[in-house]
Amino acid sequence: MNDKDAILVMEDIHKSFDNLEVLKGISLTVKRGEVVAVIGPSGGGKSTLLRCATTLEKIDTGKISIAGDLLCDTVGTKTKYAVKDDLKRIRSKFGLVFQNFNLFPHFSVRRNITESLIHVLGKSKDEANKICDELLAKMDLADKADYYPCNLSGGQQQRVSIARALAASPEILFFDEPTSALDPELTKGVLEVIRELAKEHMTMVIVTHEMSFARDVADRIVFMDGGVIVEEGPAYDLVTNPKQERTRSFLAGY
């Protein structure tokens, strides 16, 4: 894969919490337009990998580039991150959808979506509202702009979160188990939104326990356990014919 095709490049990522090494030299490249599902048991390092890619956690050592910009790199024993202005620009290139929505409860749906557009990206109120209205229509939430999160179902809140992540026109979207807090009926609507984004060739990295969804929607699946990538490959092939015994035993539970 040429570097120019890559939106995300993570090289030899190490991350420990106290004396527990959670990521043990992970390398992952995601190309433009690709949908990558990350699966594996709880505690395997999936969410930590996403948090490192999105700067919510700082890596101990390794190198990360997003859309051609160097986020961080280790030279010798020191890991250095991009300077403040560059960091702001790099962060604008990705969006992150959390498992627990992370909406501001005291903001309306509209303000949840437009706040950063106006105050971080410097867009006019009219422009921000136009973006908001278009995204809410896309999420089938056109009539919910003036609602507050507490007035919405979990599935609706998650779709607002996706709209907020899309508002800044990111080059890559990260999802951290976007349906884990939802019941099966509400899960379906959120997965359908992600499915539509995949059809539009949105670059996405999705940590998920929804195996059939990962098989059908992702281009590639990465199976993580114990802080390493055990196996990766084309989504359908990995789910139906895994090569590693650890992968087979994990998928046997689904």
Side-chain angles (χ1 to χ4, degrees):
M1 184 187 303
N2 296 326
D3 279 351
K4 64 182 177 60
D5 295 329
I7 292 291
L8 173 69
V9 180
M10 304 181 78
E11 299 178 30
D12 197 22
I13 305 300
H14 289 261
K15 175 65 181 177
S16 296
F17 295 101
D18 298 322
N19 294 321
L20 178 64
E21 191 176 19
V22 179
L23 299 178
K24 304 174 182 177
I26 294 270
S27 293
L28 176 68
T29 298
V30 179
K31 66 182 180 180
R32 189 177 300 276
E34 188 178 26
V35 179
V36 176
V38 184
I39 66 171
S42 297
K46 307 182 303 296
S47 291
T48 300
L49 184 70
L50 243 62
R51 292 178 67 83
C52 288
T54 56
T55 72
L56 293 176
E57 298 284 356
K58 288 197 169 182
I59 64 170
D60 298 330
T61 59
K63 180 179 180 180
I64 303 174
S65 297
I66 294 180
D69 283 335
L70 184 62
L71 173 64
C72 59
D73 193 11
T74 301
V75 179
T77 59
K78 187 166 183 178
T79 300
K80 187 175 181 182
Y81 274 76
V83 297
K84 186 178 178 181
D85 286 348
D86 289 342
L87 201 56
K88 181 180 176 183
R89 188 185 73 256
I90 293 168
R91 283 175 173 153
S92 73
K93 293 186 175 189
F94 63 78
L96 175 60
V97 179
F98 300 88
Q99 54 184 303
N100 292 316
F101 322 137
N102 277 38
L103 298 173
F104 295 110
H106 56 295
F107 284 2
S108 67
V109 165
R110 180 177 298 282
R111 192 172 173 193
N112 263 287
I113 294 171
T114 60
E115 187 77 0
S116 65
L117 291 176
I118 295 168
H119 298 290
V120 177
L121 298 182
K123 295 188 182 296
S124 70
K125 189 173 180 180
D126 285 347
E127 189 178 4
N129 281 329
K130 183 173 183 289
I131 292 169
C132 174
D133 289 341
E134 289 172 353
L135 285 169
L136 288 179
K138 184 172 186 167
M139 299 294 145
D140 198 22
L141 295 169
D143 58 341
K144 307 296 188 204
D146 297 323
Y147 282 50
Y148 284 79
C150 63
N151 304 127
L152 302 176
S153 71
Q156 289 171 331
Q157 289 185 59
Q158 192 60 294
R159 280 183 278 150
V160 172
S161 297
I162 295 171
R164 182 178 62 182
L166 286 167
S169 299
E171 296 193 43
I172 182 170
L173 269 186
F174 295 94
F175 293 84
D176 188 5
E177 299 191 21
T179 60
S180 65
L182 305 176
D183 65 37
E185 191 172 341
L186 298 177
T187 290
K188 186 178 177 183
V190 172
L191 294 181
E192 192 54 44
V193 167
I194 299 173
R195 197 183 298 268
E196 288 302 313
L197 291 173
K199 288 178 183 175
E200 296 169 10
H201 305 293
M202 181 76 206
T203 310
M204 294 184 281
V205 178
I206 308 166
V207 170
T208 183
H209 283 109
E210 302 282 344
M211 292 305 133
S212 59
F213 171 76
R215 178 197 65 208
D216 296 342
V217 174
D219 299 298
R220 180 161 49 109
I221 292 179
V222 172
F223 173 61
M224 286 182 64
D225 188 22
V228 300
I229 293 175
V230 176
E231 183 174 352
E232 64 178 299
Y236 185 82
D237 294 350
L238 188 139
V239 171
T240 57
N241 188 29
K243 293 181 172 58
Q244 301 297 321
E245 177 56 37
R246 180 66 189 96
T247 316
R248 283 196 289 272
S249 64
F250 173 76
L251 290 172
Y254 287 89

